[in-house]
Amino acid sequence: MTSHYDLTGFQRDLLEAIAAVEDDPYGLALKDYLDERYADPINHSRLYQNLDQLANEDLLTREELDARTNKYTLTDAGRQLLQRQVDTLTSLCPKARHIAVRGDK
């Protein structure tokens, strides 16, 4: 089973992007999401090579939307990996846990 620490930071960010992008998380939508968060633009080759690696690890699935566009969704393993990381970070940050439970800011 792949763990959070087996992945690169970029791959972890890609999983987060897939979970965060509403509608159909296709390649360019994921790139746009990450471009807003990274100082330098994301290279197409880097994006698609890492999406392929995550698919090979069974953390996401790729479904054809049309002849040129694929939609990416998290598998159960991908969602569980993200949830384990959320649980870990929440347990390390008591104030964050309190905010998450109560919905305070």
Side-chain angles (χ1 to χ4, degrees):
M1 173 172 47
T2 303
S3 80
H4 178 79
Y5 302 104
D6 294 326
L7 303 175
T8 67
F10 184 71
Q11 289 170 334
R12 293 188 296 262
D13 291 346
L14 267 174
L15 292 178
E16 176 189 319
I18 292 167
V21 170
E22 295 182 15
D23 299 323
D24 292 327
Y26 58 97
L28 291 179
L30 298 172
K31 181 183 180 319
D32 289 345
Y33 178 89
L34 293 172
D35 279 342
E36 291 179 14
R37 289 151 179 80
Y38 277 60
D40 296 320
I42 304 300
N43 176 300
H44 284 265
S45 176
R46 178 182 185 200
L47 175 73
Y48 291 105
Q49 287 175 359
N50 281 279
L51 286 168
D52 288 345
Q53 289 175 354
L54 292 170
N56 290 340
E57 293 289 329
D58 194 36
L59 297 173
L60 61 85
T61 59
R62 181 178 36 238
E63 178 184 333
E64 191 174 285
L65 285 176
D66 61 41
R68 295 183 48 156
T69 307
N70 291 318
K71 169 184 164 182
Y72 299 91
T73 55
L74 296 174
T75 61
D76 287 342
R79 281 188 293 280
Q80 289 171 3
L81 187 143
L82 284 178
Q83 187 61 55
R84 282 192 304 273
Q85 185 61 14
V86 166
D87 294 345
T88 297
L89 292 175
T90 302
S91 72
L92 296 173
C93 304
K95 183 176 180 181
R97 182 176 47 237
H98 174 74
I99 291 170
V101 170
R102 290 193 43 199
D104 295 345
K105 293 185 178 185

XYZ file of all heavy atoms in Angstrom:
848
model
N 0.845 -1.174 0.000
C 0.000 0.000 0.000
C 0.895 1.244 0.000
O 1.853 1.336 0.757
C -0.904 -0.012 1.231
C -1.684 1.249 1.395
S -2.943 1.289 2.685
C -2.156 0.621 4.103
N 0.551 2.186 -0.839
C 1.295 3.431 -0.943
C 0.952 4.328 0.236
O -0.214 4.478 0.594
C 0.935 4.163 -2.250
O 1.195 3.298 -3.347
C 1.733 5.435 -2.417
N 1.970 4.928 0.842
C 1.723 5.857 1.946
C 1.973 7.287 1.477
O 2.544 7.525 0.413
C 2.637 5.535 3.136
O 3.932 6.061 2.922
N 1.554 8.205 2.284
C 1.744 9.630 2.023
C 3.224 9.932 1.766
O 3.560 10.732 0.898
C 1.229 10.409 3.237
C 1.385 11.881 3.160
N 0.545 12.682 2.438
C 2.302 12.708 3.709
C 0.923 13.937 2.552
N 1.975 13.976 3.317
N 4.096 9.270 2.503
C 5.521 9.547 2.425
C 6.203 8.878 1.237
O 7.337 9.199 0.906
C 6.205 9.149 3.735
C 5.578 9.888 4.894
C 4.705 9.253 5.764
C 5.812 11.249 5.070
C 4.102 9.952 6.805
C 5.217 11.949 6.105
C 4.369 11.295 6.966
O 3.765 11.989 7.978
N 5.508 7.965 0.566
C 6.043 7.344 -0.647
C 5.914 8.273 -1.849
O 6.560 8.057 -2.869
C 5.305 6.035 -0.975
C 5.540 4.961 0.061
O 6.649 4.901 0.628
O 4.606 4.180 0.315
N 5.062 9.276 -1.734
C 4.779 10.171 -2.850
C 5.637 11.425 -2.768
O 6.059 11.842 -1.684
C 3.305 10.585 -2.832
C 2.285 9.462 -2.881
C 0.880 10.025 -2.742
C 2.421 8.656 -4.158
N 5.852 12.055 -3.917
C 6.516 13.357 -3.918
C 5.517 14.412 -3.444
O 4.299 14.175 -3.445
C 7.008 13.733 -5.327
O 5.867 13.937 -6.180
C 7.918 12.658 -5.917
N 6.015 15.570 -3.075
C 5.137 16.666 -2.688
C 4.176 17.035 -3.811
O 3.002 17.310 -3.574
N 4.682 17.023 -5.040
C 3.841 17.359 -6.182
C 2.725 16.328 -6.355
O 1.582 16.689 -6.625
C 4.683 17.456 -7.453
C 3.904 17.900 -8.653
C 3.452 19.209 -8.764
C 3.604 17.021 -9.677
C 2.718 19.626 -9.863
C 2.879 17.423 -10.788
C 2.432 18.728 -10.876
N 3.033 15.060 -6.154
C 2.013 14.019 -6.273
C 0.963 14.171 -5.175
O -0.236 14.013 -5.432
C 2.654 12.631 -6.226
C 3.445 12.327 -7.471
C 4.275 11.065 -7.350
O 4.658 10.650 -6.248
N 4.575 10.457 -8.485
N 1.396 14.518 -3.973
C 0.430 14.758 -2.889
C -0.457 15.950 -3.229
O -1.668 15.919 -3.004
C 1.167 14.970 -1.561
C 1.875 13.713 -1.077
C 2.428 13.861 0.318
N 3.457 14.863 0.453
C 4.766 14.618 0.454
N 5.213 13.385 0.298
N 5.629 15.594 0.616
N 0.145 16.990 -3.802
C -0.638 18.153 -4.201
C -1.623 17.812 -5.314
O -2.737 18.340 -5.353
C 0.285 19.291 -4.653
C 1.079 19.894 -3.502
O 0.743 19.639 -2.329
O 2.053 20.628 -3.792
N -1.236 16.924 -6.216
C -2.148 16.489 -7.281
C -3.363 15.768 -6.706
O -4.494 15.991 -7.154
C -1.431 15.561 -8.260
C -0.817 16.194 -9.483
C -0.018 15.160 -10.272
C -1.860 16.838 -10.356
N -3.146 14.897 -5.732
C -4.273 14.203 -5.104
C -5.217 15.211 -4.450
O -6.439 15.108 -4.572
C -3.785 13.177 -4.076
C -3.040 11.969 -4.631
C -2.568 11.072 -3.492
C -3.892 11.187 -5.611
N -4.638 16.189 -3.774
C -5.449 17.237 -3.157
C -6.224 18.006 -4.224
O -7.413 18.301 -4.046
C -4.557 18.203 -2.387
C -5.295 19.383 -1.800
C -4.357 20.427 -1.235
O -3.352 20.065 -0.598
O -4.638 21.625 -1.438
N -5.574 18.319 -5.329
C -6.232 19.064 -6.412
C -7.409 18.270 -6.970
O -8.477 18.838 -7.224
C -5.226 19.389 -7.511
N -7.232 16.970 -7.154
C -8.324 16.144 -7.675
C -9.511 16.177 -6.716
O -10.658 16.266 -7.142
C -7.840 14.700 -7.933
C -6.837 14.694 -9.090
C -9.008 13.771 -8.220
C -6.066 13.395 -9.235
N -9.226 16.135 -5.418
C -10.305 16.195 -4.426
C -10.960 17.575 -4.396
O -12.162 17.687 -4.147
C -9.748 15.853 -3.042
N -10.203 18.620 -4.696
C -10.695 19.986 -4.553
C -11.415 20.529 -5.783
O -12.332 21.342 -5.646
C -9.535 20.923 -4.206
N -10.999 20.095 -6.968
C -11.577 20.658 -8.199
C -12.998 20.135 -8.377
O -13.217 18.927 -8.400
C -10.701 20.316 -9.427
C -11.407 20.678 -10.723
C -9.369 21.024 -9.327
N -13.927 21.050 -8.481
C -15.326 20.665 -8.666
C -15.576 20.340 -10.130
O -14.789 20.656 -11.000
C -16.235 21.790 -8.192
C -16.112 22.010 -6.697
C -17.040 23.088 -6.197
O -17.968 23.480 -6.913
O -16.826 23.531 -5.057
N -16.698 19.753 -10.407
C -17.068 19.302 -11.752
C -16.117 18.193 -12.178
O -15.839 17.305 -11.397
C -17.092 20.459 -12.754
C -18.107 21.541 -12.377
O -19.182 21.171 -11.873
O -17.805 22.717 -12.583
N -15.614 18.261 -13.380
C -14.724 17.216 -13.894
C -13.268 17.625 -13.714
O -12.797 18.544 -14.384
C -14.998 16.968 -15.382
C -16.356 16.347 -15.624
O -16.795 15.572 -14.749
O -16.961 16.629 -16.660
N -12.540 16.963 -12.800
C -11.136 17.298 -12.626
C -10.290 16.736 -13.782
O -9.784 15.634 -13.717
C -10.768 16.670 -11.288
C -11.798 15.634 -11.035
C -13.008 15.988 -11.836
N -10.202 17.501 -14.840
C -9.403 17.101 -15.995
C -8.046 17.797 -15.904
O -7.834 18.673 -15.058
C -10.136 17.429 -17.301
C -10.485 18.880 -17.482
C -9.665 19.714 -18.226
C -11.627 19.415 -16.909
C -9.975 21.059 -18.392
C -11.943 20.753 -17.072
C -11.111 21.567 -17.806
O -11.409 22.898 -17.962
N -7.111 17.400 -16.759
C -5.731 17.851 -16.661
C -5.542 19.347 -16.548
O -4.844 19.828 -15.654
N -6.161 20.119 -17.449
C -5.949 21.567 -17.417
C -6.598 22.218 -16.199
O -6.089 23.210 -15.674
C -6.445 22.209 -18.709
C -5.608 21.869 -19.948
C -6.193 22.530 -21.186
C -4.152 22.264 -19.760
N -7.699 21.672 -15.706
C -8.312 22.195 -14.480
C -7.389 21.946 -13.289
O -7.243 22.809 -12.415
C -9.673 21.551 -14.245
N -6.749 20.788 -13.266
C -5.792 20.482 -12.198
C -4.582 21.397 -12.294
O -4.079 21.897 -11.280
C -5.371 19.016 -12.265
C -6.498 18.003 -12.075
C -6.007 16.601 -12.349
C -7.107 18.122 -10.689
N -4.117 21.628 -13.517
C -2.987 22.530 -13.742
C -3.336 23.930 -13.253
O -2.535 24.565 -12.555
C -2.610 22.555 -15.220
C -1.420 23.450 -15.547
C -1.146 23.473 -17.035
C 0.030 24.335 -17.420
N 0.180 25.602 -16.752
N -4.515 24.423 -13.582
C -4.943 25.754 -13.130
C -4.981 25.830 -11.604
O -4.539 26.815 -11.008
C -6.321 26.104 -13.691
C -6.301 26.380 -15.184
O -5.206 26.592 -15.756
O -7.394 26.379 -15.791
N -5.517 24.799 -10.976
C -5.592 24.753 -9.514
C -4.189 24.860 -8.914
O -3.952 25.647 -7.992
C -6.267 23.449 -9.066
C -6.358 23.276 -7.577
C -7.460 23.755 -6.870
C -5.356 22.627 -6.868
C -7.552 23.595 -5.495
C -5.434 22.463 -5.494
C -6.527 22.943 -4.807
O -6.621 22.792 -3.438
N -3.257 24.073 -9.453
C -1.894 24.076 -8.913
C -1.137 25.346 -9.285
O -0.332 25.840 -8.489
C -1.146 22.836 -9.389
C -1.681 21.520 -8.818
C -1.009 20.336 -9.489
C -1.506 21.470 -7.311
N -1.371 25.881 -10.473
C -0.700 27.125 -10.878
C -1.022 28.272 -9.922
O -0.196 29.162 -9.716
C -1.089 27.522 -12.303
C -0.304 26.780 -13.370
O 0.772 26.215 -13.060
O -0.773 26.755 -14.531
N -2.212 28.257 -9.321
C -2.586 29.286 -8.353
C -1.799 29.152 -7.053
O -1.691 30.106 -6.290
C -4.078 29.221 -8.048
C -4.957 29.644 -9.202
C -6.437 29.534 -8.870
O -6.782 29.386 -7.678
O -7.241 29.602 -9.816
N -1.249 27.980 -6.802
C -0.578 27.714 -5.538
C 0.939 27.638 -5.653
O 1.630 27.772 -4.655
C -1.122 26.403 -4.948
C -2.544 26.594 -4.445
C -3.376 25.342 -4.514
N -4.709 25.594 -3.996
C -5.685 26.189 -4.687
N -5.476 26.581 -5.920
N -6.863 26.393 -4.153
N 1.449 27.410 -6.854
C 2.887 27.289 -7.077
C 3.434 28.602 -7.626
O 2.748 29.308 -8.364
C 3.167 26.169 -8.087
C 3.196 24.785 -7.493
C 2.092 24.253 -6.836
C 4.322 23.984 -7.608
C 2.109 22.975 -6.305
C 4.354 22.701 -7.078
C 3.241 22.200 -6.424
O 3.280 20.940 -5.897
N 4.671 28.906 -7.282
C 5.303 30.142 -7.757
C 5.548 30.099 -9.266
O 5.389 31.105 -9.950
C 6.617 30.378 -7.025
N 5.936 28.935 -9.777
C 6.220 28.784 -11.207
C 5.128 27.952 -11.862
O 4.574 27.037 -11.244
C 7.574 28.091 -11.412
C 8.729 28.921 -10.879
O 8.701 30.160 -11.058
O 9.659 28.336 -10.281
N 4.825 28.237 -13.132
C 3.799 27.454 -13.839
C 4.167 25.968 -13.905
O 5.345 25.608 -13.980
C 3.781 28.064 -15.243
C 4.440 29.391 -15.116
C 5.395 29.286 -13.968
N 3.154 25.133 -13.877
C 3.340 23.686 -13.938
C 3.561 23.277 -15.388
O 2.786 23.626 -16.269
C 2.097 22.949 -13.376
C 1.787 23.411 -11.959
C 2.263 21.441 -13.458
C 2.869 23.197 -10.957
N 4.599 22.511 -15.618
C 4.927 21.981 -16.942
C 3.957 20.843 -17.268
O 3.708 19.971 -16.432
C 6.376 21.494 -16.893
C 6.847 20.829 -18.131
O 6.285 19.823 -18.550
N 7.896 21.369 -18.714
N 3.407 20.840 -18.496
C 2.446 19.805 -18.909
C 3.031 18.404 -18.756
O 2.343 17.484 -18.293
C 2.016 20.014 -20.366
C 1.050 21.127 -20.537
N -0.300 20.932 -20.567
C 1.240 22.464 -20.671
C -0.910 22.092 -20.710
N 0.005 23.042 -20.783
N 4.276 18.233 -19.144
C 4.920 16.923 -19.060
C 4.963 16.440 -17.612
O 4.643 15.292 -17.311
C 6.326 17.005 -19.647
O 6.992 15.793 -19.493
N 5.358 17.321 -16.710
C 5.416 16.975 -15.285
C 4.038 16.577 -14.777
O 3.881 15.595 -14.050
C 5.952 18.174 -14.504
C 6.014 17.957 -13.017
C 6.505 19.210 -12.321
N 6.684 18.978 -10.905
C 6.724 19.940 -9.998
N 6.637 21.197 -10.365
N 6.874 19.648 -8.726
N 3.027 17.352 -15.159
C 1.664 17.077 -14.728
C 1.223 15.683 -15.150
O 0.809 14.864 -14.321
C 0.713 18.134 -15.297
C -0.768 17.912 -15.018
C -1.092 18.199 -13.565
C -1.612 18.784 -15.929
N 1.317 15.395 -16.429
C 0.771 14.139 -16.947
C 1.619 12.930 -16.565
O 1.069 11.845 -16.328
C 0.534 14.246 -18.455
C -0.601 15.198 -18.739
C -0.360 16.471 -19.234
C -1.913 14.854 -18.436
C -1.399 17.360 -19.455
C -2.964 15.736 -18.645
C -2.702 16.988 -19.155
O -3.743 17.866 -19.357
N 2.936 13.084 -16.431
C 3.763 11.977 -15.960
C 3.381 11.594 -14.533
O 3.302 10.407 -14.199
C 5.244 12.348 -16.023
C 5.805 12.376 -17.419
C 7.246 12.862 -17.461
O 7.838 13.200 -16.443
N 7.816 12.895 -18.654
N 3.136 12.595 -13.704
C 2.760 12.313 -12.318
C 1.350 11.763 -12.209
O 1.091 10.891 -11.379
C 2.952 13.561 -11.453
C 4.399 13.751 -11.080
O 4.887 13.119 -10.145
N 5.109 14.587 -11.831
N 0.440 12.234 -13.041
C -0.905 11.641 -13.056
C -0.827 10.171 -13.455
O -1.494 9.315 -12.854
C -1.824 12.413 -14.012
C -2.286 13.779 -13.521
C -2.942 14.568 -14.652
C -3.230 13.647 -12.326
N 0.002 9.851 -14.438
C 0.193 8.451 -14.847
C 0.751 7.611 -13.705
O 0.303 6.485 -13.476
C 1.115 8.361 -16.063
C 0.477 8.843 -17.346
O -0.765 8.988 -17.395
O 1.234 9.087 -18.314
N 1.730 8.155 -12.976
C 2.318 7.419 -11.853
C 1.287 7.161 -10.758
O 1.236 6.070 -10.185
C 3.523 8.171 -11.292
C 4.721 8.154 -12.211
C 5.862 9.014 -11.696
O 5.735 9.729 -10.696
N 6.988 8.949 -12.387
N 0.456 8.160 -10.480
C -0.581 7.984 -9.460
C -1.626 6.967 -9.899
O -2.133 6.199 -9.082
C -1.230 9.330 -9.132
C -0.317 10.330 -8.422
C -0.968 11.700 -8.363
C 0.045 9.832 -7.032
N -1.924 6.934 -11.187
C -2.842 5.920 -11.717
C -2.219 4.533 -11.583
O -2.904 3.574 -11.211
C -3.195 6.221 -13.168
N -0.924 4.425 -11.854
C -0.221 3.148 -11.715
C -0.184 2.673 -10.266
O -0.123 1.477 -10.006
C 1.196 3.242 -12.271
C 1.219 3.361 -13.776
O 0.257 3.021 -14.460
N 2.317 3.873 -14.307
N -0.218 3.607 -9.325
C -0.245 3.273 -7.898
C -1.668 2.998 -7.410
O -1.881 2.778 -6.221
C 0.363 4.417 -7.073
C 1.840 4.632 -7.285
C 2.681 3.526 -6.686
O 2.275 2.925 -5.661
O 3.755 3.251 -7.255
N -2.649 3.065 -8.315
C -4.069 2.849 -8.003
C -4.613 3.883 -7.023
O -5.469 3.586 -6.197
C -4.295 1.434 -7.480
C -5.770 1.059 -7.468
O -6.500 1.489 -8.390
O -6.206 0.376 -6.521
N -4.095 5.124 -7.110
C -4.593 6.199 -6.259
C -5.603 7.070 -6.995
O -6.316 7.848 -6.369
C -3.425 7.047 -5.749
C -2.445 6.274 -4.862
C -1.237 7.138 -4.536
C -3.129 5.788 -3.590
N -5.653 6.937 -8.320
C -6.632 7.658 -9.117
C -6.982 6.841 -10.342
O -6.271 5.919 -10.717
C -6.128 9.057 -9.512
C -4.871 9.173 -10.366
C -5.188 9.055 -11.847
C -4.212 10.503 -10.097
N -8.121 7.183 -10.914
C -8.531 6.560 -12.171
C -8.601 7.641 -13.237
O -8.824 8.819 -12.938
C -9.903 5.874 -12.064
O -10.877 6.842 -11.691
C -9.880 4.738 -11.067
N -8.415 7.211 -14.455
C -8.453 8.102 -15.609
C -9.593 7.630 -16.494
O -9.674 6.463 -16.844
C -7.102 8.005 -16.327
C -6.939 8.851 -17.520
C -5.544 8.701 -18.129
N -5.020 7.351 -18.033
C -3.875 7.009 -17.428
N -3.124 7.923 -16.876
N -3.476 5.763 -17.389
N -10.498 8.552 -16.826
C -11.653 8.233 -17.664
C -11.690 9.236 -18.806
O -11.554 10.445 -18.597
C -12.927 8.354 -16.822
C -14.196 8.111 -17.554
C -15.400 8.350 -16.645
O -15.282 8.209 -15.423
O -16.468 8.694 -17.189
N -11.884 8.751 -20.007
C -11.901 9.628 -21.172
C -13.186 10.451 -21.207
O -14.284 9.908 -21.159
C -11.776 8.788 -22.443
C -11.528 9.607 -23.685
C -11.275 8.730 -24.898
O -10.171 8.168 -25.001
O -12.206 8.618 -25.722
N -13.036 11.769 -21.279
C -14.186 12.664 -21.448
C -14.474 12.874 -22.926
O -15.623 12.916 -23.345
C -13.927 14.019 -20.798
C -14.001 14.073 -19.277
C -13.617 15.455 -18.778
C -15.387 13.710 -18.794
N -13.419 13.060 -23.698
C -13.522 13.152 -25.154
C -12.173 12.689 -25.726
O -11.319 12.233 -24.978
C -13.911 14.564 -25.624
C -12.910 15.637 -25.232
O -11.685 15.397 -25.326
O -13.344 16.736 -24.846
N -11.995 12.816 -27.008
C -10.796 12.279 -27.656
C -9.494 12.889 -27.122
O -8.437 12.271 -27.227
C -10.884 12.488 -29.166
N -9.556 14.072 -26.539
C -8.342 14.750 -26.084
C -8.280 14.989 -24.583
O -7.279 15.479 -24.077
C -8.226 16.099 -26.791
C -8.027 15.990 -28.271
C -7.851 17.339 -28.869
N -6.870 18.090 -28.102
C -6.157 19.083 -28.549
N -6.305 19.482 -29.774
N -5.289 19.715 -27.780
N -9.338 14.676 -23.857
C -9.427 15.064 -22.452
C -9.771 13.875 -21.571
O -10.695 13.130 -21.864
C -10.512 16.156 -22.268
O -10.258 17.216 -23.175
C -10.518 16.692 -20.860
N -9.004 13.735 -20.488
C -9.273 12.711 -19.483
C -9.743 13.367 -18.193
O -9.277 14.439 -17.816
C -8.020 11.890 -19.182
C -7.623 11.018 -20.333
O -8.466 10.404 -20.971
N -6.340 10.949 -20.623
N -10.632 12.688 -17.524
C -11.110 13.090 -16.197
C -10.401 12.193 -15.185
O -10.266 10.988 -15.392
C -12.623 12.884 -16.132
C -13.231 13.013 -14.773
C -14.711 12.686 -14.858
C -15.290 12.420 -13.498
N -16.714 12.061 -13.584
N -9.963 12.768 -14.076
C -9.248 12.024 -13.044
C -10.074 12.029 -11.763
O -10.572 13.079 -11.338
C -7.881 12.655 -12.785
C -7.010 12.632 -14.015
C -7.011 13.688 -14.921
C -6.220 11.533 -14.296
C -6.240 13.657 -16.074
C -5.433 11.489 -15.450
C -5.454 12.553 -16.323
O -4.688 12.513 -17.461
N -10.237 10.866 -11.156
C -10.956 10.752 -9.889
C -10.136 9.903 -8.927
O -9.387 9.011 -9.343
C -12.354 10.126 -10.068
O -12.212 8.867 -10.728
C -13.258 11.021 -10.882
N -10.292 10.190 -7.656
C -9.593 9.416 -6.632
C -10.219 8.039 -6.499
O -11.435 7.894 -6.553
C -9.654 10.129 -5.289
C -8.964 11.487 -5.187
C -9.243 12.109 -3.835
C -7.474 11.348 -5.429
N -9.386 7.044 -6.311
C -9.873 5.711 -5.972
C -10.113 5.683 -4.459
O -9.782 6.638 -3.745
C -8.831 4.639 -6.343
O -7.636 4.900 -5.581
C -8.526 4.640 -7.836
N -10.660 4.590 -3.975
C -10.810 4.439 -2.522
C -9.455 4.566 -1.836
O -9.337 5.207 -0.796
C -11.446 3.094 -2.175
C -12.925 3.039 -2.517
O -13.546 4.111 -2.696
O -13.463 1.918 -2.623
N -8.419 3.967 -2.437
C -7.071 4.045 -1.851
C -6.575 5.487 -1.825
O -5.941 5.912 -0.851
C -6.101 3.164 -2.636
N -6.848 6.260 -2.862
C -6.447 7.662 -2.898
C -7.156 8.489 -1.841
O -6.547 9.310 -1.151
N -8.466 8.258 -1.686
C -9.229 8.976 -0.652
C -8.746 8.581 0.748
O -8.615 9.439 1.626
C -10.725 8.691 -0.789
C -11.391 9.504 -1.883
C -12.910 9.356 -1.868
N -13.335 8.006 -2.216
C -13.401 7.533 -3.460
N -13.067 8.302 -4.467
N -13.791 6.304 -3.698
N -8.477 7.305 0.945
C -7.997 6.851 2.258
C -6.637 7.450 2.578
O -6.375 7.831 3.725
C -7.939 5.329 2.290
C -9.292 4.683 2.317
C -9.239 3.171 2.135
O -8.167 2.575 2.040
N -10.402 2.545 2.084
N -5.771 7.546 1.582
C -4.453 8.137 1.795
C -4.603 9.595 2.241
O -3.968 10.024 3.207
C -3.616 8.055 0.511
C -2.169 8.492 0.636
C -1.291 7.605 -0.227
C -1.998 9.933 0.224
N -5.451 10.353 1.554
C -5.683 11.746 1.950
C -6.295 11.824 3.346
O -5.902 12.660 4.162
C -6.599 12.451 0.944
C -5.996 12.862 -0.381
C -7.058 13.501 -1.262
C -4.829 13.811 -0.195
N -7.263 10.953 3.635
C -7.918 10.979 4.946
C -6.939 10.646 6.065
O -6.981 11.269 7.136
C -9.109 10.023 4.983
C -9.928 10.128 6.248
C -10.523 11.507 6.454
O -11.210 12.014 5.581
N -10.255 12.126 7.591
N -6.051 9.684 5.842
C -5.045 9.357 6.867
C -4.167 10.568 7.155
O -3.819 10.838 8.310
C -4.189 8.163 6.436
C -4.865 6.823 6.612
C -3.905 5.651 6.454
N -3.200 5.649 5.183
C -3.658 5.097 4.053
N -4.827 4.505 4.042
N -2.944 5.126 2.956
N -3.804 11.326 6.115
C -2.971 12.513 6.316
C -3.742 13.596 7.070
O -3.196 14.247 7.955
C -2.434 13.048 4.986
C -1.468 14.185 5.144
C -0.216 13.842 5.927
O 0.105 12.674 6.181
N 0.504 14.853 6.345
N -5.007 13.767 6.730
C -5.844 14.733 7.456
C -5.922 14.337 8.929
O -5.757 15.182 9.819
C -7.260 14.804 6.841
C -8.233 15.530 7.760
C -7.207 15.467 5.483
N -6.145 13.074 9.194
C -6.238 12.592 10.577
C -4.934 12.814 11.320
O -4.932 13.231 12.479
C -6.617 11.110 10.605
C -8.018 10.848 10.081
O -8.815 11.801 9.951
O -8.305 9.667 9.766
N -3.810 12.547 10.662
C -2.496 12.746 11.282
C -2.282 14.210 11.621
O -1.901 14.553 12.751
C -1.370 12.252 10.352
O -1.528 10.853 10.148
C 0.002 12.533 10.937
N -2.523 15.099 10.660
C -2.316 16.527 10.903
C -3.263 17.050 11.969
O -2.865 17.862 12.817
C -2.483 17.315 9.605
C -1.405 17.064 8.554
C -1.746 17.797 7.267
C -0.031 17.471 9.061
N -4.492 16.578 11.962
C -5.466 17.010 12.957
C -5.037 16.584 14.357
O -5.150 17.357 15.307
C -6.864 16.457 12.626
O -7.229 16.918 11.323
C -7.898 16.910 13.626
N -4.500 15.378 14.476
C -4.065 14.907 15.796
C -2.846 15.672 16.302
O -2.642 15.779 17.505
C -3.758 13.410 15.754
O -2.559 13.165 15.042
N -2.067 16.234 15.398
C -0.871 16.986 15.786
C -1.169 18.443 16.118
O -0.342 19.131 16.700
C 0.173 16.928 14.666
C 0.717 15.540 14.353
C 1.603 15.584 13.117
C 1.465 14.968 15.548
N -2.330 18.906 15.757
C -2.687 20.317 15.927
C -3.981 20.423 16.718
O -5.061 20.553 16.136
C -2.848 20.991 14.569
S -1.398 20.865 13.515
N -3.906 20.405 18.045
C -5.131 20.444 18.850
C -6.038 21.631 18.526
O -7.254 21.479 18.485
C -4.627 20.523 20.284
C -3.245 19.966 20.228
C -2.714 20.312 18.865
N -5.482 22.804 18.279
C -6.322 23.956 17.954
C -7.032 23.724 16.628
O -8.211 24.033 16.500
C -5.488 25.233 17.896
C -6.329 26.453 17.634
C -5.520 27.715 17.668
C -6.439 28.900 17.388
N -5.743 30.159 17.382
N -6.334 23.185 15.651
C -6.954 22.900 14.358
C -8.062 21.868 14.522
O -9.108 21.970 13.889
C -5.916 22.407 13.357
N -7.847 20.877 15.372
C -8.874 19.862 15.619
C -10.109 20.518 16.220
O -11.225 20.253 15.813
C -8.332 18.770 16.542
C -9.331 17.673 16.805
C -8.787 16.524 17.634
N -8.062 16.974 18.799
C -6.790 16.653 19.056
N -6.107 15.908 18.230
N -6.198 17.088 20.140
N -9.917 21.421 17.153
C -11.028 22.126 17.794
C -11.800 22.940 16.756
O -13.027 22.921 16.740
C -10.491 23.032 18.905
C -11.524 23.894 19.535
N -12.477 23.407 20.404
C -11.773 25.217 19.411
C -13.255 24.394 20.776
N -12.858 25.511 20.203
N -11.092 23.632 15.899
C -11.726 24.440 14.856
C -12.488 23.541 13.884
O -13.614 23.842 13.502
C -10.678 25.300 14.111
C -10.153 26.389 15.059
C -11.259 25.903 12.853
C -8.957 27.135 14.533
N -11.879 22.434 13.485
C -12.517 21.525 12.525
C -13.796 20.938 13.107
O -14.799 20.796 12.406
C -11.550 20.412 12.128
N -13.792 20.619 14.376
C -14.957 20.013 15.008
C -16.061 21.042 15.205
O -17.225 20.789 14.915
C -14.563 19.373 16.361
C -15.784 18.948 17.147
C -13.645 18.183 16.124
N -15.729 22.234 15.655
C -16.735 23.262 15.955
C -17.061 24.110 14.746
O -18.113 24.744 14.722
C -16.234 24.170 17.064
C -16.187 23.452 18.404
C -15.997 24.374 19.546
N -16.839 25.558 19.410
C -16.621 26.685 20.052
N -15.591 26.804 20.837
N -17.410 27.726 19.889
N -16.177 24.177 13.763
C -16.414 25.025 12.611
C -16.070 26.480 12.873
O -16.456 27.364 12.120
N -15.340 26.753 13.963
C -14.912 28.123 14.279
C -13.815 28.567 13.344
O -13.188 27.777 12.671
C -14.361 28.200 15.713
C -15.420 27.907 16.760
O -16.612 27.935 16.415
O -15.036 27.654 17.919
N -13.548 29.835 13.384
C -12.408 30.395 12.635
C -11.447 31.030 13.579
O -11.729 31.455 14.607
C -12.889 31.419 11.601
C -13.685 30.746 10.525
C -14.033 31.742 9.469
C -14.796 31.009 8.372
N -15.106 31.789 7.260
